[in-house]
């Protein structure tokens, strides 16, 4: 992966053409995407924001016009779609835009099923289009710190607990999918994992949910991943990794995450410009599909117990 400086250097050349973009969904992520597209960044110079699509009648947002889904799909001007809607709608939007011959950037999780993601990737390849799943968690300062910390160390056991307020499962998917960024951290740090067990504890009347997942590395080292959500729970990550050479307990303050969505856009533009090797793209696809496969296995495991 290129460093941000190398990325910017590659993009400092005057763009020969601009890709027309629509943003689908204008919640938190969609609003950040619109802001980045409208500001003068090296990658934004290759992109031309045409409008946004929303189920709500908004007219315009920050001077950007609302357009219908039909117009976004049929317009020759629109070559790229940013899918920033609710997780449950991602699959349908990706399919429609790929079928219309557009490149797609989608916020994670790409889909709420492994088979659907595999089919969409096949469709993207068949259409010769870029399909990019955002993973801003891999662009965070905390992840860069962890990556340096674990390199060359022999893991004995580890755990990652994430707490936050409640999320509606109908809109955001099963917790293993809505929380796939934590799973992606573990896979990116320790390699492909296998599922040992998974349980889901829910008290719907209290909006309480706790998913406990026991995973294993290829060397049979145990990793525990817990997602706990309830009203009043602060958004927090607690981690503990024990190595033969010592332990890492919780995350030191490693600085502020700046422009992580913009860094993700830089990666996407590099893909549009054909600046990633086939090997890099294949490794990323393998990791993403592995995480979605694990998320689905976890879901099956939890529901088989009910």
């Amino acid at each position: 992966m290129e460093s941000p400086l190398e990325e910017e250097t590659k993009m400092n050349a005057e763009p020969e053409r601009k890709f027309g973009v629509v943003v689908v969904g204008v919640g938190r992520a969609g609003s950040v995407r619109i802001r980045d597209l409208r500001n003068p960044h090296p990658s934004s110079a290759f992109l031309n924001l045409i409008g946004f699509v929303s189920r709500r009648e908004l007219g315009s947002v920050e001077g950007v016009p609302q357009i219908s889904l039909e117009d976004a799909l049929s317009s020759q001007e629109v070559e790229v779609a940013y899918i920033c809607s609710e997780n449950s709608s991602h699959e349908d939007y990706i399919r429609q835009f790929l079928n219309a011959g557009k490149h797609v950037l989608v916020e994670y999780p790409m889909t709420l099923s492994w088979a659907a993601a595999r089919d969409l990737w096949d469709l993207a390849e068949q259409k010769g289009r870029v399909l990019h799943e955002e993973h801003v968690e891999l662009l965070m300062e905390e992840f860069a710190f962890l990556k340096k910390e674990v390199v060359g160390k022999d893991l004995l056991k580890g755990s990652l607990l994430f707490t936050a307020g409640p999320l509606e499962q109908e809109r955001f998917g099963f917790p293993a999918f809505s929380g796939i960024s934590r799973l992606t951290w573990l896979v990116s740090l320790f390699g492909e994992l296998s599922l040992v067990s998974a349980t889901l504890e829910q008290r719907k009347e209290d909006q309480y949910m706790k998913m406990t997942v026991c995973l294993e590395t290829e060397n049979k080292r145990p990793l525990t991943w817990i997602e706990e959500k309830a009203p009043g729970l602060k958004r927090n990550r607690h981690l503990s990794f024990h190595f033969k050479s010592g332990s890492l307990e919780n995350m030191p303050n490693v600085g502020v995450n700046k422009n992580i969505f913009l860094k993700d856009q830089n990666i996407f533009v590099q893909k549009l410009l054909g600046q990633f090797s086939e090997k890099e793209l294949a490794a990323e696809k393998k990791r993403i599909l592995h995480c979605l496969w694990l998320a689905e296995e976890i879901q099956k495991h939890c529901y088989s117990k009910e």
Side-chain angles (χ1 to χ4, degrees):
M1 194 71 76
E2 305 288 342
S3 75
L5 189 64
E6 286 170 311
E7 283 172 15
E8 296 212 2
T9 312
K10 277 187 175 184
M11 289 186 216
N12 276 341
E14 197 55 41
E16 287 168 32
R17 63 186 290 261
K18 289 189 170 206
F19 294 85
V21 182
V22 293
V23 175
V24 180
V26 285
R28 188 182 68 88
S31 302
V32 173
R33 294 295 188 180
I34 287 173
R35 183 197 69 201
D36 286 345
L37 284 160
R38 295 183 74 225
N39 286 338
H41 302 296
S43 59
S44 302
F46 290 85
L47 303 163
N48 173 32
L49 177 58
I50 287 164
F52 71 89
V53 173
S54 177
R55 286 173 314 185
R56 295 174 287 162
E57 286 296 329
L58 298 170
S60 71
V61 169
E62 292 185 34
V64 180
Q66 180 165 3
I67 59 176
S68 71
L69 177 61
E70 293 67 29
D71 287 350
L73 290 164
S74 62
S75 167
Q76 294 296 298
E77 231 189 323
V78 174
E79 297 166 273
V80 169
Y82 282 16
I83 311 296
C84 311
S85 55
E86 290 170 351
N87 299 350
S88 55
S89 64
H90 288 181
E91 180 187 340
D92 189 39
Y93 279 132
I94 297 169
R95 199 177 299 282
Q96 289 189 67
F97 278 101
L98 286 177
N99 275 322
K102 319 293 186 191
H103 301 284
V104 174
L105 174 153
V106 61
E107 310 298 350
Y108 74 76
M110 179 189 296
T111 59
L112 299 177
S113 100
W114 171 71
R118 217 182 35 185
D119 289 350
L120 291 173
W121 230 302
D122 289 348
L123 180 59
E125 283 166 11
Q126 190 189 317
K127 296 278 182 185
R129 292 295 175 265
V130 171
L131 173 55
H132 170 81
E133 185 184 47
E134 162 269 309
H135 277 285
V136 291
E137 75 281 6
L138 299 180
L139 306 172
M140 290 176 166
E141 298 296 331
E142 293 94 330
F143 181 73
F145 168 82
L146 283 177
K147 198 84 179 141
K148 281 196 195 103
E149 278 294 307
V150 309
V151 74
K153 289 185 181 169
D154 192 354
L155 180 76
L156 297 175
K157 63 176 183 175
S159 67
L160 173 56
L161 159 68
F162 180 76
T163 60
L167 268 189
E168 279 179 57
Q169 212 166 295
E170 293 70 31
R171 293 162 62 202
F172 296 97
F174 185 78
F177 284 99
S178 59
I180 206 159
S181 63
R182 266 75 68 191
L183 191 53
T184 304
W185 262 25
L186 293 175
V187 168
S188 301
L189 291 170
F190 302 111
E192 293 200 346
L193 304 171
S194 52
L195 177 62
V196 177
S197 67
T199 57
L200 182 69
E201 184 191 336
Q202 288 187 98
R203 293 195 302 276
K204 288 194 174 157
E205 65 283 4
D206 300 330
Q207 291 182 283
Y208 176 83
M209 181 286 298
K210 185 178 183 182
M211 178 183 75
T212 305
V213 181
C214 298
L215 300 156
E216 218 173 47
T217 67
E218 285 176 337
N219 293 339
K220 305 282 182 214
R221 303 301 193 198
L223 282 168
T224 306
W225 169 35
I226 298 169
E227 295 273 308
E228 189 169 21
K229 298 197 171 149
L233 270 185
K234 281 207 172 91
R235 198 178 165 82
N236 224 326
R237 247 188 240 102
H238 307 272
L239 51 86
S240 165
F241 298 131
H242 296 270
F243 306 98
K244 276 190 180 163
S245 56
S247 297
L248 177 65
E249 296 280 352
N250 286 322
M251 182 74 74
N253 191 344
V254 289
V256 179
N257 292 305
K258 284 188 189 153
N259 296 331
I260 49 178
F261 282 91
L262 181 59
K263 287 174 185 169
D264 178 70
Q265 177 176 281
N266 292 349
I267 294 167
F268 177 61
V269 167
Q270 283 183 272
K271 289 179 182 178
L272 289 178
L273 300 175
Q275 292 174 350
F276 271 83
S277 69
E278 288 300 316
K279 192 179 169 190
E280 287 172 305
L281 292 171
E284 183 188 51
K285 174 183 170 181
K286 188 169 185 264
R287 186 206 75 226
I288 288 171
L289 287 175
H290 175 66
C291 289
L292 287 166
W293 175 79
L294 268 178
E296 192 166 285
E297 289 298 299
I298 292 165
Q299 182 176 2
K300 284 181 194 161
H301 220 85
C302 287
Y303 285 152
S304 70
K305 301 235 168 36
E306 285 189 358

